[in-house]
Amino acid sequence: MGACDPWDESAPANAFERAGSEYQDYRPSYPPQSVRAALGVDDARGLRVVDVGAGTGKFSRRALEAGARVWAVEPALAMRRQLATAQKNYSDDLQVVEGVAEATGLPQGFADVVVFAQSWHWVEPGAALVEAARLLRRNGHVAIVFNQMDVSIPWVHRLTRIMRSGDVHTPLRPPVLGPGWTVPSLHKTDFVSGLDIEGVKALARTRSSYLKSTPANRQKMQANLQWYLAEHLGYGKTDVIEIPYYTLVWKTTLKSGASDI
């Protein structure tokens, strides 16, 4: 699949309306250290967290386990339906909200933390930060979180190219924020996600590029992955492929007296 791949014209505008259970089952979650860094506390009891672009609730679940109350904002119905499963388990501590980063529909000034976990690259930054500033309580903060395969390792880099994994997020490229926000601080955690060949292929099927693509290109990408993992790298059917990742957590707060957000 290349830069000029044809898209499936029947695909919805939001590719994640096509997302099934594979997103929840095969995308890695977030290391506990990264969750603590994003929330800013070890014990999150009483903390009010807005998880923007929550997807199936990967970060929301971690925040709930830490004791926080979570408002999970997600535009895709297919994702919200999966979030509803988590909602049953956490009662009143999880609220699932139909909305977007730029207009969440949530009350002003009630959130301690606004989190963009694996969603920042989908938003319009200026409008999303205006909305975040509206949501935050005094002394609240924004956390921008990325799980990233470690493409500094050659075989992983080639894997991401075959999977069409999209943007590469590195510690050297902090998110661009407006002048009303502090220079973001960085917390980085390394971890490994273990999947067999079929699991890696399922992970690839959660990518927006796959969800938007034509059936022919989807089949081609899956065949390329099978060849790369089984024949080129030599993994057997039941072998565990340990994929190196890191999680970046960028934290920022409104500058005192900031008016130009």
Side-chain angles (χ1 to χ4, degrees):
M1 296 173 70
C4 297
D5 295 331
W7 299 124
D8 182 352
E9 294 182 359
S10 67
N14 184 339
F16 292 110
E17 291 291 5
R18 283 183 163 177
S21 61
E22 289 177 332
Y23 192 103
Q24 177 61 28
D25 294 341
Y26 294 100
R27 288 270 185 134
S29 189
Y30 299 94
Q33 309 96 301
S34 300
V35 176
R36 289 194 295 269
L39 298 181
V41 292
D42 291 333
D43 184 350
R45 282 177 291 185
L47 206 69
R48 294 186 172 196
V49 177
V50 178
D51 183 7
V52 179
T56 62
K58 288 284 187 180
F59 187 90
S60 291
R61 286 174 171 83
R62 291 295 201 204
L64 288 160
E65 290 164 1
R69 297 185 65 194
V70 177
W71 284 256
V73 179
E74 172 55 46
L77 176 60
M79 297 291 206
R80 293 199 306 277
R81 284 174 172 162
Q82 296 183 63
L83 268 165
T85 302
Q87 192 172 27
K88 294 176 184 177
N89 296 330
Y90 292 99
S91 185
D92 294 335
D93 289 333
L94 174 63
Q95 302 297 321
V96 179
V97 180
E98 179 181 1
V100 295
E102 300 82 1
T104 64
L106 292 171
Q108 179 173 341
F110 87 104
D112 298 297
V113 187
V114 176
V115 177
F116 299 86
Q118 219 67 18
S119 63
W120 182 250
H121 52 300
W122 294 113
V123 311
E124 197 291 303
L129 287 171
V130 168
E131 178 69 348
R134 187 186 71 81
L135 293 173
L136 284 174
R137 289 176 170 179
R138 184 178 180 86
N139 299 322
H141 68 269
V142 166
I144 298 170
V145 185
F146 295 113
N147 273 347
Q148 172 67 55
M149 289 186 187
D150 189 349
V151 297
S152 68
I153 301 168
W155 77 264
V156 179
H157 183 239
R158 186 169 181 182
L159 176 65
T160 63
R161 294 293 297 272
I162 296 170
M163 292 175 63
R164 303 297 295 165
S165 292
D167 296 339
V168 175
H169 308 285
T170 79
L172 300 178
R173 294 175 57 189
V176 177
L177 309 172
W181 297 87
T182 59
V183 175
S185 62
L186 173 64
H187 180 278
K188 179 177 178 286
T189 301
D190 298 305
F191 71 100
V192 171
S193 177
L195 296 170
D196 60 16
I197 289 175
E198 291 304 316
V200 176
K201 290 164 68 176
L203 174 64
R205 294 195 292 270
T206 71
R207 304 298 186 191
S208 62
S209 56
Y210 179 92
L211 295 170
K212 291 189 296 183
S213 195
T214 62
N217 274 329
R218 292 183 190 184
Q219 185 177 21
K220 179 180 178 182
M221 186 263 268
Q222 292 280 287
N224 286 343
L225 276 176
Q226 178 69 34
W227 169 84
Y228 182 60
L229 297 169
E231 298 184 38
H232 185 72
L233 294 180
Y235 285 103
K237 185 176 181 179
T238 61
D239 290 342
V240 175
I241 302 164
E242 295 189 339
I243 304 174
Y245 279 83
Y246 53 77
T247 303
L248 305 177
V249 178
W250 299 96
K251 283 177 57 180
T252 182
T253 60
L254 276 168
K255 292 179 180 176
S256 178
S259 59
D260 182 9
I261 300 171

